[in-house]
Amino acid sequence: MSAQTRNNQSIVRKLLLLTVAMFGFGYALVPLYDVFCDITGINGKTGERVETSSQVVDKSRLITVQFVASLNENMPWEFTPVVNQIQVHPGESTKIEYRARNKTDFEIIGQAVPSVAPGQAADYFKKTECFCFTEQKLAANEEKLMPVIFTVDSDLPEHIKELTLSYTFFNKSSSEETEKLTHNHNMNHDQEI
Amino acid sequence: MSDAHHDHKPTGIGRWLFSTNHKDIGTMYLWFSLTMLFVGGTMALIIRAELFQPGLQIVEPEFFNQMTTLHGLIMVFGVIMPAFVGLANWQVPMMIGAPDMALPRMNNWSFWLLPTAFSMLVASLIMSIMGMGSAPNFGWTFYAPLSTTFAPASTDYFIFSVHLLGISSVMGALNIIATIMNMRAPGMTYMKMPIFVWTWFITAYLLIAVMPVLAAAVTMMLTDRNFGTSFFSAAGGGDPLLFQHVFWFFGHPEVYIMILPAFGVVSQIIPTFARKKLFGYTSMVYATASIAFLSFIVWAHHMVTTGMPVAAELFFMYATMLIAIPTGVKVFNWVSTMWRGSLTFETPMLFAIAFVVLFTIGGFTGLMLAIAPADFQYQDTYFVVAHFHYVLVTGSLFTIMAAVYYWIPKWTGNMYDEKLGKVHFWLTCISANVLFFPMHFVGLAGMPRRIPDYSIQFTEFNQMASIGAFVFGFSQLLFLYIVIKAIKGGNKATTEVWEGAEGLEFTLPSPAPFHSFTTPPQVK
Amino acid sequence: MSAIIRYAGCLCLMLASSPLFAAYQLDMSPGVTSFSQGAYEIHQYVMWICVAIGVVVFGAMAYSIIFHRKSKGAVAAKFDDNVTVEILWTIIPIFILVSMAIPATNVLLEMEDTSKSDMSIKVTGYQWKWHYEYLDEDISFFSNISTPEAASLATNASVPKDENYLMEVDNRVVIPANKKVRFLFTSNDVIHAWWIPAFGVKKDALPGFINEAWARVAEPGVYRGKCAELCGMNHGFMPIVVEVKSEADYAAWVGEQKAAKSALAASATKTWTMAELMKHGEKVYTTNCVACHQVSGEGIPAAGFPALKGGAIATGDAAKHIDIVLKGSPGTAMQAFGAQLNDADLAALITYERNAWGNNTGDTVQPSDIKSAR
C-alpha cells in the first residue's frame, strides 16, 4: 500500500467522522434550539412547571394579562377563556380558568400548547399548575373547566406592562382513531371518490 | 506518457457506467447538469407562461406549486451543484498536477447516485401529471408543517431523493478534499494553488459541514411523517420554526456552495484575458475563507418575519452586513486585475465580465435584504426572487458557461465557434436582464413570490420578464449546439489555448490525455 | 457590458417618459405608519449608496474595458497587489455599513415595540382565508377572497380583471384611525404570513404559537395586502383588506356588527324555504368550498378532493353529510366547518350540496337540524 493510499484513507476516515458528527449536530440543534428559545423567548415558549416560589409581591406595578384560546385544525372542541383579561401584581400567584367542551359523540384527547407574547416576557411567566402539562381527555360532549395557576415574576422588565397568554389545543387522538369514530358506520371521506 | 497502457480508454457503455476516470466522470456530471438545466428550465418557462398575464390560463394553482418546487430543487441540486462538481472533476487534478482524483471508484458512485435521485423526484411529477397524487408542492425550502402533516404522499420519495443527493455531494466533497490535500505536484504549496482549487477546497468543507445537517432535517421530517415523532409539530412539544432554523443552517452555507466555485472560475478567467496576474491572491483566499465562516452565523436573516426577538434580529442583521466586506474585496480585486491590463474579449471573458457586474448587483440587493426593517417589506416578494436569480443565474450559471468556453478547447482539443459563442453571450446576457430586472420592481411594488396569479398592476413587468425568459431559455439551445460542434471538430487548440493562459492544465496537450499527469510536474 | 448600459438606458427612458408608465409602481411604498416610513427611508438610503458604489466600481471597469484593451495597444502592467489600497477598501466599507446599521436598528426597535396598545385583534390563518377576532369586543369573522372562482383554471376567466382583482375580500377588517392596534397572529394549520405593505407589517402566523405586530394609522382608507408565506394550493388567493375608519365611524361599525349578530341568532330559529336555502347555500359554497370541490362540484380527485356531484356523501344519508361538514374528516384536507360557519350557513350549504349539479335529493336541511347535530 503506497503512502498516498494510506494518506487518502486517513483523510477519508477523518472526513467521514466529520460527516457523521455534523449529522449528529443536526439533531443536536433540537435541544440547542430549546436552550436558545429559553434565553431569547422565541415563540413565547414558556418553561416547564415550576414549584411554588414564595416571591415578594410587587404592589407598585400592575400587569395586564390577556388570555387567548385557539383550536388547531380538526379539533372539534369549544375552547374559551372564562375571563378575557385580568390585572395582577408581579410576584402574586393567580388562578384563572379556561372552559373546554367536546362537541362530538366520542372521546377526544387534546394537548394544549402555550405561547406568551411578547416573547421577551415568556421567561418571566411562571406556571405552577396548568392543563397544558399533560394531555387532556374529554368524553363525548363533556365540558370541563381547566385551571392555570401562574405568577408573573417580579423581575419582569419595567417596560412590559401587558402580556398575552395563548393556548392552542391540538387533537392528539390519532387520525385513524378519530376517523373510525367519526364515521364508524359510514364510509370514510376518501372512499367517496 | 511513460506507459502507453495508461492511456487506454475503455469503450462502449461500460466506459461510462463503470468509469473511474476523472475526465469521463466530469463529462458525465456536466452533461447531467445541462440536461437538468433544460428540464428545470422547461418548468421555469411553464411558470413564466402562466405569469404572462393576470388570470389562470395554463396550469392549476396546485400544479404551479409543483413547478416552483421542482424548478428550485432541480436548479439547485441538479444543475448548479453538479456542474461545479463536474468542473472540479475535470480541472482539479489537471490544475494541481495529479493523474486523477484521489478516490476514483467513490467518484463513480457519487455521480451515479445523482440520476437515481432525480429519477425519483421527477417520477413523482410524472405520476402527478398522470393524475396519481401530487408531486412535492411546498417550495424548495419545504417548510414544516406544509411539508409534513399537509404534504402529499410523494414527499417520502422527495426525502429519499434528498438523502441520496446528500450522500452524493458529501462523497464528491470527500474526494475533492483528499485530492487537493494529497495529490498536489511537488512544489505546489497551498498558497500556490490556483484560486479555483482554493475555492473548491473551501466549498468541499462547507458541503461536508452542512449536507449532513440537511440530511438530519429531512430525516426528522421522515420520522414526523411516518413514525410518530414531533420535531416540527407543536402538538407533540415540537416547533415548526425549528425546521426553518435547521434548514437555513444548511441553506445559507448552501448558497455559498453554489457561488464560491464561481468566484474561483472568474479568478482564473479574468487574469488570462487581462494578461495580468490576479490582483491580491492572498486576500482572495482569505476573503473566500471569511465568507465561508460568516455563512454559518447568518442563517436566521431568512426568517425575520417569523417573530424572532429583537436581539436576535439585530445580531443576524449585523452579521449579514459583514459579508459585504469580503465580497467587496473580491469584486475590487477583479476590477484591479483588469485595471491597466491588456484586455481581449473572447466569450469566456465576456461571461466573466458580465458576472462581475451582475453578481455585484445581486450583492447589492443582498445588502439591502440584510437590513432587517426593510427586509420586512422585501421578505417573500419578487425582490427576493430577483436577488437570488441575479446571484445564481447571472452569477453561478454564467460562470459555469464561462468555464465551459474557457476549458472546452482543453477538453476536446477543438476551439469552439467564437462567433456563435459571442452571439450566445449577448442573447443570454440581455435576455437574463430583461427576465430578472423587472422582478425587482414588482417585488418592491408588493408582489409576493410563489403565486400563480397576480393583480393587474403587476402585469407589464411580468410580461417583460416572461418575454426575457423565453428568449433566455431558447438561447441555451444555441449553447448546446456550440458545445456539440466543438466536440465534433473545429480549429485545433494549442497546448496553451489562450495567449495569456497560465496554470498546469495549460502545459498538457489539447485534448488533455486520459490520465492527466502520470509524471508529476515540478512547480517552482 | 454595453448590453447593460443599453438596458439601463432603456430603463431611464422608461422612467423619464413617466406619464406613459404612471400606473406602475417601481419602488417600495413609503406606507402610512411611522416604521413603514422608516423602512422606506432606509431602503432608499441603502439603495442609493449601492448605486453610488456601483457607479464607481463599474465605472473603473468600463474605463479599463475601453482604454486598456489589447486592440488599442495596451500593454499589461506588472503589479498584482497593493497593501494600502487593499486595507482602504476593507476599512471604508465598515464605515458605510455602520452608517446603515444605526438607522436600521432604530427603525427595528420601534417596529417591535408592541406595548401600550389601545386594542388587540387576533388574526388566525386558515387554508386559505383569514379569521379575525376582536379581543376587546365580541366580534369575530372569517375573511375570504371575494372571487374564489379565480382560483381554478375552469372558472378563472369569469372573474373580471379589474383594479382590485385578487385584492378584495367579503369581510374587511376594520380598525379605528389614530389608535395603536395590536395584531396577534396564529394559524389553524400551516404557516401563513399576514402582510400589508402600506403598514410595513409582515408577520408569520404559526400553528400553536402567537406573534405580534402593531400599526397606528392616521388616514382613514382601505389598505390591501396578501398572504406572503407559501401555504399550499391557494396561497395566491387569500388577500387581506384593512379598512381604517375614523373613531366615530368605527364605533358605528362595531354597533352594526353586534346588531347583525343578533339578527343572525333570529335567522337560526326560523324555518327556511328550499329556494332561500339554495340561494344562500350557493353563496356559502362559493366562499368556502370551491377551492377544493370546484364550482362544478366535481372536485379534483387526483389531489384528494372528492367530487360532490353524484358523490356518495352528498347523495347519501343526510345525517352523515351534516356530520362530515361539521366535524371534518381527519387526515384529509376536509376541515371541520362546524367551528367556522353558523347554523343557518351550514343548513343552506348542505341543502345546496344535496340538490345542486343534478344531485336532486330533494332534502332540505334546517338550521335546527344543524343545531341538534352539533
Side-chain angles (χ1 to χ4, degrees):
Chain A
M1 198 189 278
S2 71
Q4 197 166 60
T5 320
R6 260 199 312 279
N7 274 338
N8 282 346
Q9 282 177 351
S10 114
I11 291 170
V12 169
R13 254 197 308 276
K14 282 180 201 145
L15 292 176
L16 278 177
L17 212 65
L18 180 63
T19 309
V20 174
M22 286 312 292
F23 184 75
F25 178 74
Y27 273 86
L29 282 172
V30 181
L32 279 176
Y33 176 68
D34 285 339
V35 175
F36 188 57
C37 288
D38 258 6
I39 298 168
T40 61
I42 285 182
N43 271 352
K45 279 188 181 173
T46 57
E48 294 296 300
R49 175 202 300 267
V50 290
E51 296 311 317
T52 328
S53 55
S54 51
Q55 278 210 330
V56 189
V57 178
D58 181 357
K59 289 280 185 196
S60 66
R61 294 165 69 194
L62 212 49
I63 309 293
T64 306
V65 185
Q66 192 173 36
F67 304 102
V68 171
S70 307
L71 293 165
N72 202 250
E73 57 130 29
N74 290 322
M75 186 55 169
W77 284 10
E78 266 170 22
F79 179 51
T80 46
V82 173
V83 287
N84 283 332
Q85 63 177 52
I86 56 168
Q87 295 200 308
V88 297
H89 295 293
E92 159 182 84
S93 180
T94 314
K95 179 178 176 183
I96 57 109
E97 281 172 319
Y98 277 72
R99 182 181 290 115
R101 188 173 77 86
N102 181 353
K103 296 194 294 185
T104 66
D105 302 333
F106 47 87
E107 176 185 290
I108 285 184
I109 298 169
Q111 170 69 55
V113 175
S115 178
V116 168
Q120 207 195 342
D123 213 25
Y124 302 92
F125 191 86
K126 312 276 190 203
K127 299 187 293 290
T128 45
E129 194 186 318
C130 176
F131 57 91
C132 59
F133 291 148
T134 53
E135 290 179 348
Q136 299 291 320
K137 190 192 292 179
L138 285 189
N141 299 307
E142 187 189 357
E143 181 172 319
K144 204 195 244 176
L145 284 176
M146 299 186 169
V148 183
I149 299 176
F150 68 89
T151 311
V152 176
D153 198 299
S154 37
D155 294 335
L156 183 79
E158 279 294 329
H159 69 270
I160 300 178
K161 303 270 192 293
E162 54 218 353
L163 45 87
T164 304
L165 173 63
S166 148
Y167 287 102
T168 305
F169 252 114
F170 286 74
N171 190 340
K172 285 287 275 186
S173 305
S174 74
S175 54
E176 296 86 48
E177 215 173 296
T178 320
E179 204 164 351
K180 206 168 69 217
L181 288 161
T182 323
H183 311 295
N184 47 358
H185 41 251
N186 58 5
M187 69 290 299
N188 88 27
H189 197 61
D190 280 333
Q191 287 162 355
E192 192 186 352
I193 303 164
Chain B
M1 299 302 101
S2 54
D3 188 352
H5 170 77
H6 280 292
D7 216 29
H8 170 73
K9 282 184 201 170
T11 48
I13 189 151
R15 169 176 173 190
W16 304 103
L17 270 182
F18 308 117
S19 178
T20 54
N21 178 280
H22 77 101
K23 297 194 177 71
D24 282 356
I25 293 174
T27 304
M28 289 196 289
Y29 265 111
L30 289 170
W31 275 117
F32 177 77
S33 161
L34 188 58
T35 313
M36 295 315 280
L37 178 69
F38 284 110
V39 175
T42 308
M43 294 171 182
L45 292 188
I46 292 172
I47 293 169
R48 283 313 327 167
E50 178 54 61
L51 292 176
F52 184 72
Q53 58 185 45
L56 296 174
Q57 291 85 21
I58 299 171
V59 293
E60 292 285 359
E62 166 65 23
F63 190 72
F64 185 91
N65 288 345
Q66 298 172 27
M67 286 291 103
T68 52
T69 305
L70 289 173
H71 165 75
L73 289 167
I74 285 176
M75 290 305 194
V76 168
F77 295 104
V79 178
I80 305 293
M81 291 170 71
F84 279 129
V85 180
L87 291 174
N89 256 293
W90 259 100
Q91 292 305 128
V92 168
M94 293 206 284
M95 292 170 102
I96 62 171
D100 205 311
M101 296 293 279
L103 309 154
R105 273 176 300 232
M106 193 194 241
N107 208 4
N108 174 294
W109 193 19
S110 67
F111 171 75
W112 280 109
L113 282 179
L114 269 184
T116 318
F118 277 98
S119 311
M120 236 176 326
L121 201 58
V122 173
S124 66
L125 179 68
I126 293 170
M127 286 191 277
S128 152
I129 293 169
M130 289 163 56
M132 295 182 281
S134 169
N137 54 8
F138 29 66
W140 87 276
T141 50
F142 52 102
Y143 281 5
L146 191 60
S147 63
T148 53
T149 325
F150 295 82
S154 64
T155 307
D156 296 324
Y157 272 94
F158 156 83
I159 291 171
F160 191 43
S161 152
V162 170
H163 273 135
L164 291 184
L165 291 172
I167 295 171
S168 161
S169 299
V170 166
M171 288 195 307
L174 277 175
N175 208 344
I176 288 166
I177 293 175
T179 308
I180 294 172
M181 289 180 81
N182 230 350
M183 314 255 306
R184 279 169 290 129
M188 170 79 74
T189 58
Y190 281 111
M191 289 313 274
K192 279 188 186 161
M193 292 195 308
I195 290 285
F196 178 71
V197 178
W198 252 118
T199 52
W200 242 117
F201 191 45
I202 293 168
T203 303
Y205 271 107
L206 284 182
L207 277 168
I208 290 182
V210 300
M211 291 310 285
V213 176
L214 175 67
V218 292
T219 310
M220 290 182 220
M221 265 173 72
L222 184 77
T223 56
D224 268 15
R225 282 172 55 80
N226 300 310
F227 304 109
T229 58
S230 311
F231 289 105
F232 307 134
S233 158
D239 185 340
L241 268 193
L242 169 66
F243 175 84
Q244 295 183 28
H245 283 284
V246 181
F247 179 84
W248 287 114
F249 187 85
F250 146 80
H252 205 78
E254 167 69 16
V255 175
Y256 294 122
I257 287 167
M258 292 189 282
I259 199 69
L260 294 185
F263 293 165
V265 168
V266 169
S267 305
Q268 300 300 130
I269 291 175
I270 290 182
T272 298
F273 297 97
R275 293 167 180 75
K276 190 157 156 278
K277 273 180 82 177
L278 180 70
F279 186 89
Y281 173 93
T282 318
S283 62
M284 279 298 204
V285 173
Y286 287 123
T288 311
S290 27
I291 291 174
F293 167 74
L294 287 173
S295 75
F296 285 103
I297 55 164
V298 298
W299 76 90
H301 67 212
H302 297 268
M303 303 167 55
V304 283
T305 64
T306 57
M308 272 192 298
V310 187
E313 279 172 356
L314 288 173
F315 169 79
F316 286 108
M317 172 169 87
Y318 299 149
T320 307
M321 291 171 79
L322 281 182
I323 296 177
I325 295 169
T327 314
V329 166
K330 287 187 154 290
V331 173
F332 299 142
N333 282 348
W334 290 320
V335 174
S336 308
T337 307
M338 289 168 65
W339 188 254
R340 292 179 56 206
S342 172
L343 303 172
T344 53
F345 303 95
E346 287 85 347
T347 312
M349 183 62 164
L350 290 176
F351 272 105
I353 291 172
F355 164 87
V356 176
V357 175
L358 301 175
F359 168 77
T360 304
I361 292 178
F364 286 152
T365 49
L367 176 61
M368 294 168 75
L369 285 159
I371 309 293
D375 191 40
F376 274 95
Q377 296 282 42
Y378 307 137
Q379 168 78 23
D380 273 318
T381 67
Y382 261 81
F383 191 77
V384 178
V385 178
H387 159 71
F388 67 71
H389 281 93
Y390 263 83
V391 174
L392 290 178
V393 177
T394 63
S396 305
L397 190 65
F398 271 28
T399 60
I400 291 165
M401 289 175 176
V404 171
Y405 282 114
Y406 183 58
W407 281 311
I408 206 169
K410 181 56 63 188
W411 301 341
T412 63
N414 305 318
M415 296 304 287
Y416 60 88
D417 186 329
E418 186 64 55
K419 201 174 277 171
L420 283 182
K422 287 205 166 97
V423 173
H424 172 236
F425 167 76
W426 286 112
L427 278 172
T428 303
C429 184
I430 295 170
S431 60
N433 282 287
V434 176
L435 164 55
F436 297 122
F437 211 82
M439 291 183 181
H440 291 118
F441 301 140
V442 284
L444 291 176
M447 178 166 162
R449 62 192 283 208
R450 293 165 167 168
I451 54 172
D453 193 4
Y454 51 83
S455 311
I456 53 163
Q457 69 267 37
F458 306 126
T459 311
E460 286 78 4
F461 287 123
N462 272 294
Q463 290 183 335
M464 249 169 107
S466 292
I467 292 166
F470 277 85
V471 178
F472 183 85
F474 285 98
S475 303
Q476 303 324 310
L477 293 172
L478 180 59
F479 179 63
L480 177 66
Y481 173 74
I482 295 169
V483 169
I484 292 173
K485 196 174 166 201
I487 293 171
K488 292 212 160 154
N491 298 336
K492 294 292 157 228
T494 60
T495 298
E496 214 192 4
V497 184
W498 310 106
E499 190 187 38
E502 281 186 42
L504 289 177
E505 77 265 40
F506 294 110
T507 63
L508 286 168
S510 305
F514 198 53
H515 297 281
S516 300
F517 287 95
T518 38
T519 329
Q522 187 69 39
V523 180
K524 284 187 270 325
Chain C
M1 187 61 208
S2 64
I4 296 139
I5 296 165
R6 261 207 302 274
Y7 187 72
C10 290
L11 274 176
C12 294
L13 218 78
M14 273 175 48
L15 295 176
S17 58
S18 45
L20 243 162
F21 291 86
Y24 306 161
Q25 190 185 335
L26 287 168
D27 200 0
M28 187 190 282
S29 99
V32 293
T33 62
S34 55
F35 52 82
S36 73
Q37 189 75 40
Y40 172 76
E41 278 159 17
I42 183 104
H43 155 76
Q44 289 286 319
Y45 175 67
V46 178
M47 185 173 71
W48 287 111
I49 286 193
C50 287
V51 169
I53 297 172
V55 167
V56 174
V57 174
F58 302 152
M61 241 177 109
Y63 183 85
S64 46
I65 287 171
I66 296 165
F67 295 102
H68 301 153
R69 50 171 69 206
K70 199 188 169 201
S71 57
K72 287 200 171 176
V75 179
K78 289 281 173 237
F79 66 91
D80 68 356
D81 65 349
N82 183 331
V83 178
T84 323
V85 188
E86 288 177 65
I87 290 176
L88 270 181
W89 69 41
T90 313
I91 305 285
I92 294 172
I94 295 178
F95 287 102
I96 299 177
L97 290 178
V98 170
S99 80
M100 295 171 179
I102 293 169
T105 306
N106 290 334
V107 176
L108 194 65
L109 290 176
E110 186 192 359
M111 225 170 184
E112 297 287 2
D113 179 13
T114 51
S115 62
K116 301 193 195 77
S117 63
D118 299 312
M119 61 179 279
S120 299
I121 299 176
K122 182 181 148 207
V123 183
T124 311
Y126 282 71
Q127 280 181 325
W128 294 276
K129 60 194 157 215
W130 296 97
H131 180 260
Y132 298 95
E133 187 181 340
Y134 289 65
L135 293 178
D136 314 286
E137 310 278 352
D138 187 19
I139 298 175
S140 70
F141 54 86
F142 278 94
S143 178
N144 291 277
I145 186 168
S146 61
T147 53
E149 313 89 283
S152 160
L153 206 48
T155 47
N156 178 281
S158 68
V159 181
K161 308 289 184 287
D162 56 17
E163 65 171 327
N164 286 330
Y165 175 60
L166 302 184
M167 300 275 253
E168 192 54 87
V169 294
D170 54 358
N171 297 310
R172 294 173 171 181
V173 204
V174 177
I175 61 169
N178 293 314
K179 294 274 183 199
K180 183 166 183 174
V181 182
R182 187 176 67 130
F183 298 97
L184 280 173
F185 301 103
T186 187
S187 166
N188 174 64
D189 34 54
V190 300
I191 300 174
H192 304 266
W194 197 85
W195 180 31
I196 297 283
F199 292 2
V201 171
K202 186 187 284 155
K203 264 285 152 72
D204 288 5
L206 302 160
F209 302 101
I210 50 171
N211 266 333
E212 11 167 46
W214 66 277
R216 186 200 299 272
V217 184
E219 269 306 296
V222 177
Y223 302 95
R224 295 170 198 275
K226 292 198 160 183
C227 175
E229 179 66 62
L230 178 63
C231 55
M233 189 170 75
N234 286 352
H235 162 56
F237 304 91
M238 49 186 293
I240 302 155
V241 182
V242 181
E243 197 171 344
V244 179
K245 286 183 189 276
S246 70
E247 253 180 275
D249 289 351
Y250 175 75
W253 177 83
V254 170
E256 276 167 35
Q257 293 299 307
K258 294 198 165 153
K261 199 166 176 178
S262 23
L264 202 70
S267 77
T269 52
K270 77 164 191 175
T271 302
W272 297 45
T273 66
M274 178 73 155
E276 281 172 337
L277 287 168
M278 286 299 282
K279 183 159 175 280
H280 186 58
E282 181 171 9
K283 192 169 148 258
V284 179
Y285 181 81
T286 309
T287 309
N288 294 284
C289 315
V290 293
C292 298
H293 294 293
Q294 306 291 299
V295 176
S296 64
E298 285 162 357
I300 313 175
F305 309 135
L308 301 178
K309 183 181 179 179
I313 289 200
T315 57
D317 180 10
K320 287 171 201 160
H321 190 174
I322 294 172
D323 194 54
I324 197 167
V325 176
L326 274 178
K327 289 158 192 167
S329 175
T332 74
M334 182 63 192
Q335 300 169 4
F337 284 94
Q340 301 179 21
L341 299 173
N342 62 48
D343 293 352
D345 286 347
L346 285 164
L349 169 67
I350 293 166
T351 307
Y352 178 75
E353 287 179 352
R354 301 185 69 75
N355 295 287
W357 319 296
N359 280 356
N360 300 336
T361 56
D363 299 343
T364 56
V365 177
Q366 293 296 337
S368 55
D369 299 332
I370 305 288
K371 196 174 163 75
S372 56
R374 275 191 192 262

